[in-house]
Amino acid sequence: MILEIQNLETHFFTRDGVVRAVDGVSYAVDEGETLGVVGESGCGKSVTALSILRLVAPPGRIVGGTIRFQGRDLFALSEGEMRALRGNQISMIFQEPMTSLNPVLTIGRQITESLVLHQGLGREAATARAAEMLRLVHMSEPERRLRQYPHELSGGMRQRVMIAMALSCNPKVLIADEPTTALDVTIQAQILELIRELKEKLGTAVILITHDLGVIAETAQRVVVLYAGRKVEEAPVAALFARPLHPYTRGLMQAVPTLEGEGGRLAEIPGMVPSLREAMPGCSFAPRCNYASERCRGEAPPVEEAEPGHFVACWNWRHAA
């Protein structure tokens, strides 16, 4: 196990109240594996990732839990120690490369900065390594690309640059936050194949954050399902797709369009996602669940191992499955 999150709580303290963006989430990542983290927008996927790197900006604040990387408590490290770790041992690919890349710096400058800072390379050696990384992510004419600016590249090329930057220091863990958002389907497939290829070549563990179950099915070995800031299910990918246990996971599965569909309406989960500003004494999914009981509304279910390696937080999962 290379990374372990235990009971993480990250809240945002706003004028309108406290937003419990992450409310007691726990999961672990093994060396070399790809862990998928799935859920709809606002469920806490990205905030959990930013919490790992201690990059949650005010008014957000990590208020509870622990995160251990190779046995080290990340919350106990100084800011200088965290800077040395970010981009070096744990890297992140952010959702939108155009806003993540600096528009006034060349691609080469942006890749070499981390190599000079973390690897201690000279400028010439760092430039050579940057060109090598662009070759590794299958970019044509890498030396010319190093002299270009982000606006001169397509969306898919910018995403490849982000991957090259994130992997340039051979990190132990790569966090990929919606790496295929806003890309067309063909480029999406290329980017996912590239991440899989580089993971196998470099041995990097990957946390793949997405709302797309198709991406999870193709790429991950295990999957964690989040809802309203809480973990509701965790399982090997094959087990989850064969027999989802939580009603929310089943709802997500039924909402995926299939080739066998006959043009009718997609299945939808009734109701609305609850406000994260209000304390939820029971199961956060209870207001939308067909199997909810009075116990569900008043008492939050613990995460239990329902089957070997398959965890679920639901009082009535036996009826729902």
Side-chain angles (χ1 to χ4, degrees), residues 105-279:
L105 296 180
T106 63
I107 298 302
R109 173 75 181 276
Q110 295 186 62
I111 299 176
T112 57
E113 272 188 345
S114 63
L115 291 165
V116 171
L117 175 65
H118 295 303
Q119 304 289 305
L121 299 183
R123 188 61 60 182
E124 190 174 324
T127 301
R129 170 69 174 163
E132 179 190 336
M133 289 306 302
L134 291 185
R135 258 185 230 102
L136 202 61
V137 298
H138 307 310
M139 284 190 73
S140 60
E141 302 178 274
E143 286 78 11
R144 182 166 75 89
R145 303 300 180 200
L146 291 176
R147 298 191 295 273
Q148 291 183 309
Y149 291 86
H151 71 269
E152 298 179 272
L153 305 180
S154 68
M157 292 171 75
R158 287 195 294 267
Q159 196 62 283
R160 288 171 188 267
V161 169
M162 291 293 295
I163 295 170
M165 287 176 62
L167 293 173
S168 61
C169 295
N170 293 329
K172 302 292 185 186
V173 176
L174 173 67
I175 303 169
D177 188 3
E178 299 277 8
T180 58
T181 296
L183 300 177
D184 67 55
V185 176
T186 305
I187 302 300
Q188 282 186 24
Q190 291 175 3
I191 294 297
L192 290 172
E193 179 58 35
L194 178 59
I195 291 173
R196 183 164 50 229
E197 177 188 322
L198 293 174
K199 186 203 82 159
E200 291 172 1
K201 187 175 292 186
L202 303 175
T204 304
V206 177
I207 300 174
L208 180 62
I209 297 169
T210 182
H211 63 274
D212 190 333
L213 286 167
V215 169
I216 293 291
E218 289 183 25
T219 312
Q221 283 85 56
R222 280 191 307 121
V223 59
V224 169
V225 181
L226 299 184
Y227 179 77
R230 298 177 182 175
K231 182 172 79 173
V232 296
E233 191 161 0
E234 177 182 347
V237 166
L240 188 90
F241 278 80
R243 189 168 180 252
L245 300 182
H246 197 281
Y248 173 63
T249 311
R250 292 176 66 82
L252 287 181
M253 299 283 193
Q254 291 163 2
V256 175
T258 64
L259 292 175
E260 292 76 27
E262 298 180 358
R265 283 177 60 91
L266 287 174
E268 60 187 36
I269 301 173
M272 300 287 290
V273 178
S275 170
L276 299 181
R277 288 190 179 89
E278 300 168 7

